[in-house]
Amino acid sequence: MTLALAVLEQRDGVLRKISHEVVTGSQRLGRGVDAVLCAAGPVQGADQLGKFGADRVITLTNPAFAKYAPEACAQAIAERAKQGGYRAVLFAASATGKDLAPRVAAKLGVGVAADITDLAALGDAITVTRPVYAGKALLKVKVASQPAVLSLRPNVFTPVERPKAGTPETAAVTVAPCRVVVREVKAAAAGTLDVAEAQIIISGGRGLKEPANFKVLEELAQAFGGKAAVGASRAVVDAGWRAHADQVGQTGKTVSPSLYIAVGISGAIQHLAGMRTSKVIVAINKDKDAPIFKVADYGVVGDLFEIVPRLTEEIRKLHG
Amino acid sequence: MKIAVCIKRVPDSETRVKIASDGKSLDDSGVKFVMNPYDEFAVEEALRRKEKASSGEVAVICLGPAAAQETIRTALAMGADRGILLQSDRIPADPFEVARIIAAELKSTSWDLLLFGRMAIDDYNHQVGALTAELLGLPCVTAISHLEIEGTKGVAEREIEGGIEVVEFPLPAVLTADKGLNEPRYPALKGIMAAKKKPLEVKPVQASAGTFEVVALSPPPDRKEGKIVGEGVGAVGELVRLLREEAKVL
Ligand SMILES: Cc1cc2nc3c(=O)[nH]c(=O)nc-3n(C[C@H](O)[C@H](O)[C@H](O)COP(=O)(O)OP(=O)(O)OC[C@H]3O[C@@H](n4cnc5c(N)ncnc54)[C@H](O)[C@@H]3O)c2cc1C
Ligand SMILES: Nc1ncnc2c1ncn2[C@@H]1O[C@H](COP(=O)(O)O)[C@@H](O)[C@H]1O
């Protein structure tokens, strides 16, 4: 019997990469994975999910799914979860997943074990680990709800390829009229990568001195060839130098990139809350006692205005 | 406008986490508790909506121990009209239980707007608002950073990866507040004095454990000891070498 239902995401008919992580995470439960997504029509990339171990990829179609339709998606996925009798339903803890998971869970009469960084199944028990208290502690919870509804912290469950045949299925579904309607999506400037999705993040703080100076960080990001995003501390967001969407930390985004470079950021506990699970942390700060150096794998003490441009040069050489 | 705001009492974000002897909970001796920061945005939004309508009521609801009266007083000092403490020494680990208790209280009144925080900064559950909305059968928009209301029609904005969703919804509705929605006011002395006389109803509730069993609360694994590569531009070459050869991220 299939154990897990992995809920995938698409935007504008293209599968979101985070979906691979959800399938990989679902695999960890060990007994087979059905993947499901809501879309208005065929979704580019959905046929690839077999590669990550999905036994079936079920596309639920309805014209209402052209944009994210929280109520209709919740209804369709909850119905599918009930029919399939799954032991677990897994989401990404992305902006959409955080919105959708509790809606589906409530329809199933259970709560969500949210934003988990680890999971294990022993017999019929599912145990998960989630960072709490701003990442200052890890909570291990045994989830006995039927089904267990989980959301996985992005960038933690690195996609692993485990090829399977992965039968694609499409089912047109009917949904009730929606009260909550996404009227439009205002896209961020073309070519900018969201910090929540970037593999490399270069964040700047008050040490940058003024908004125009973020140019040095943008140049470094560009040197990484489209893989890097520029983040910010709350101090500079509150000062209006950077958009809130770029803020990393307790009242901003939680990120786990493979490389996080903190530039002119002191490393307040609320900032660490958002980035301490990054795989490798680099700090550049002129104050050798700045708390950021306590979590950094590699620190360089000195003036960022000298160090960052040199780093940009070196990275360009590597990628050039 | 009749507005309910759900607020949670949480450890201040500066708190040093000490784990209690049961190995499953926070040792809260010496911990400073505050109103969940996202709930401050929710309270502020409620007050502004009421002020704009120049009539109505803002009630704050909190599930927590007796000490959470203090959290409610803070909201009353900001300007909320009355408070309800759903008193329970233990807050269930299962968010569905939390939502069930809150929904049971909210059901008894017909609200125009029900406001929550995007998430609580202690448990990071990010769901009690949406769960409660489902239990009450109300429309819900989560993590909003902008809100406009005209009559019984609302438009909210929420941040998603790489953009902003503009969402329409009818009132009554459940909304959860993100940073950016507004700038919460500080309680003025006058407000603090007035808060002492505002009604605060205490209702004991039976909170069952639900289906989440806490196995352990533990410190995060230490990050392996980092190193200062060096000082100034001279250290950049070595940094790049380490990132390539040791960390293998380049
Ligand atoms: C409830 C709450 C929530 C919060 N949420 C967040 C959050 O989500 N994210 C967040 O970031 N903060 C958050 N904060 C704020 C946090 O406490 C800090 O105030 C903030 O992170 C500080 O930002 P900063 O490091 O940019 O500035 P500062 O602390 O001022 O640090 C600037 C650093 O730059 C260095 N510097 C200066 N000049 C140079 C130079 N030329 N070269 C190199 N280094 C230089 C300095 O040595 C210093 O370490 C929150 C606070 C509260 C109370
Ligand atoms: N014990 C509680 N009492 C009142 N409101 C709560 C409680 N727990 C959560 N909430 C509300 O639900 C929001 C989200 O919390 P959570 O889902 O726990 O992250 C909070 O910002 C509060 O508005």
Side-chain angles (χ1 to χ4, degrees):
Chain A
M1 189 198 90
T2 302
L3 178 75
L5 183 65
V7 181
L8 316 176
E9 287 180 28
Q10 58 92 14
R11 210 185 283 172
D12 301 328
V14 181
L15 190 77
R16 288 172 58 71
K17 250 176 47 201
I18 195 143
S19 303
H20 300 164
E21 297 176 22
V22 184
V23 173
T24 296
S26 304
Q27 277 282 325
R28 296 261 297 270
L29 294 172
R31 271 191 266 164
V33 178
D34 281 354
V36 67
L37 80 166
C38 294
V43 171
Q44 192 188 321
D47 54 340
Q48 295 299 308
L49 281 156
K51 215 162 79 180
F52 296 94
D55 299 286
R56 296 198 293 172
V57 182
I58 309 156
T59 307
L60 304 175
T61 60
N62 187 291
F65 298 150
K67 288 205 186 73
Y68 175 51
E71 296 176 322
C73 285
Q75 184 199 335
I77 288 168
E79 277 168 14
R80 180 52 62 150
K82 278 182 203 162
Q83 283 166 15
Y86 298 97
R87 174 68 188 89
V89 182
L90 296 91
F91 294 80
S94 57
T96 302
K98 282 181 191 154
D99 183 81
L100 185 57
R103 297 177 193 263
V104 172
K107 289 184 193 296
L108 301 173
V110 303
V112 186
D115 211 13
I116 67 174
T117 53
D118 200 7
L119 83 166
L122 238 187
D124 206 35
I126 295 178
T127 306
V128 303
T129 302
R130 5 189 343 260
V132 291
Y133 301 113
K136 286 179 276 185
L138 296 176
L139 188 69
K140 208 167 169 182
V141 182
K142 205 154 128 191
V143 185
S145 58
Q146 290 286 355
V149 177
L150 316 175
S151 68
L152 313 184
R153 177 169 288 194
N155 271 329
V156 172
F157 295 84
T158 315
V160 178
E161 297 199 12
R162 286 197 198 78
K164 278 203 173 170
T167 358
E169 287 175 27
T170 302
V173 292
T174 50
V175 293
C178 297
R179 299 165 298 181
V180 173
V181 177
V182 174
R183 191 175 62 191
E184 62 166 317
V185 178
K186 295 191 211 162
T192 53
L193 189 57
D194 195 280
V195 289
E197 300 192 306
Q199 276 306 307
I200 299 174
I201 298 173
I202 300 138
S203 282
R206 197 139 46 191
L208 269 292
K209 301 270 183 323
E210 53 178 285
N213 291 337
F214 269 80
K215 204 166 140 258
V216 297
L217 302 191
E218 271 149 19
E219 281 167 0
L220 175 55
Q222 276 156 18
F224 283 106
K227 277 190 301 185
V230 175
S233 73
R234 176 166 177 175
V236 301
V237 170
D238 284 357
W241 300 2
R242 304 296 289 181
H244 178 248
D246 301 339
Q247 184 183 317
V248 173
Q250 187 157 59
T251 38
K253 286 184 175 141
T254 306
V255 298
S256 303
S258 30
L259 175 61
Y260 188 90
I261 308 181
V263 182
I265 289 180
S266 58
I269 190 76
Q270 298 92 350
H271 188 79
L272 304 185
M275 46 65 80
R276 68 188 308 153
T277 52
S278 304
K279 276 145 212 121
V280 175
I281 298 173
V282 171
I284 299 170
N285 197 302
K286 69 175 183 190
D287 172 9
K288 68 172 184 6
D289 297 321
I292 191 73
F293 287 124
K294 293 216 182 70
V295 297
D297 301 285
Y298 304 107
V300 178
V301 180
D303 183 0
L304 72 91
F305 296 105
E306 293 169 14
I307 294 164
V308 176
R310 172 63 66 83
L311 182 57
T312 305
E313 263 173 49
E314 295 284 324
I315 300 296
R316 276 201 194 118
K317 272 190 230 156
L318 284 180
H319 287 72
Chain B
M1 272 233 165
K2 264 180 100 64
I3 309 174
V5 189
C6 291
I7 62 172
K8 187 177 186 188
R9 170 185 183 261
V10 299
D12 182 89
S13 65
E14 298 277 352
T15 303
R16 285 194 48 206
V17 169
K18 247 178 63 196
I19 290 152
S21 55
D22 65 358
K24 293 180 182 182
S25 56
L26 176 75
D27 175 354
D28 62 8
S29 57
V31 170
K32 184 179 150 215
F33 284 88
V34 297
M35 187 193 312
N36 181 40
Y38 290 103
D39 303 350
E40 292 179 0
F41 300 120
V43 172
E44 177 63 35
E45 197 58 32
L47 296 175
R48 290 189 190 187
R49 293 291 147 194
K50 183 191 145 185
E51 283 157 11
K52 202 165 166 209
S54 55
S55 74
E57 182 195 42
V58 174
V60 294
I61 290 129
C62 177
L63 165 65
Q69 288 194 31
E70 205 186 309
T71 317
I72 293 178
R73 291 280 174 214
T74 306
L76 298 179
M78 285 172 76
D81 299 295
R82 64 185 175 100
I84 301 167
L85 175 62
L86 304 171
Q87 191 175 323
S88 166
D89 288 341
R90 227 169 19 99
I91 297 179
D94 184 344
F96 191 75
E97 271 303 299
V98 175
R100 201 185 50 76
I101 295 166
I102 289 175
E105 172 59 35
L106 291 170
K107 216 169 6 204
S108 58
T109 308
S110 64
W111 308 98
D112 297 305
L113 210 50
L114 301 94
L115 298 174
F116 291 73
R118 166 167 83 106
M119 67 168 193
I121 64 159
D122 54 353
D123 63 28
Y124 272 59
N125 273 330
H126 210 295
Q127 57 185 289
V128 168
L131 292 175
T132 307
E134 286 288 337
L135 292 174
L136 297 173
L138 289 172
C140 172
V141 187
T142 64
I144 64 167
S145 51
H146 186 77
L147 175 65
E148 272 162 46
I149 293 176
E150 210 65 70
T152 56
K153 263 192 66 184
V155 180
E157 292 187 358
R158 55 191 306 272
E159 265 177 23
I160 58 170
E161 297 85 1
I164 291 172
E165 272 176 4
V166 183
V167 188
E168 290 177 347
F169 61 94
L171 262 54
V174 171
L175 305 173
T176 80
D178 197 357
K179 178 171 176 275
L181 185 59
N182 52 46
E183 233 3 276
R185 67 194 68 184
Y186 287 103
L189 187 62
K190 206 170 121 222
I192 296 169
M193 298 311 289
K196 292 185 178 146
K197 294 192 212 84
K198 288 181 178 171
L200 196 172
E201 198 183 340
V202 177
K203 300 182 177 177
V205 293
Q206 282 304 324
S208 73
T211 55
F212 284 33
E213 186 200 327
V214 174
V215 180
L217 184 71
S218 54
D222 281 332
R223 290 193 69 92
K224 85 177 168 5
E225 186 78 28
K227 58 180 141 200
I228 300 282
V229 178
E231 287 193 22
V233 277
V236 172
E238 176 64 0
L239 172 68
V240 171
R241 188 191 70 76
L242 287 166
L243 290 176
R244 282 189 74 178
E245 294 172 14
E246 192 176 88
K248 299 195 167 63
V249 287
L250 294 183

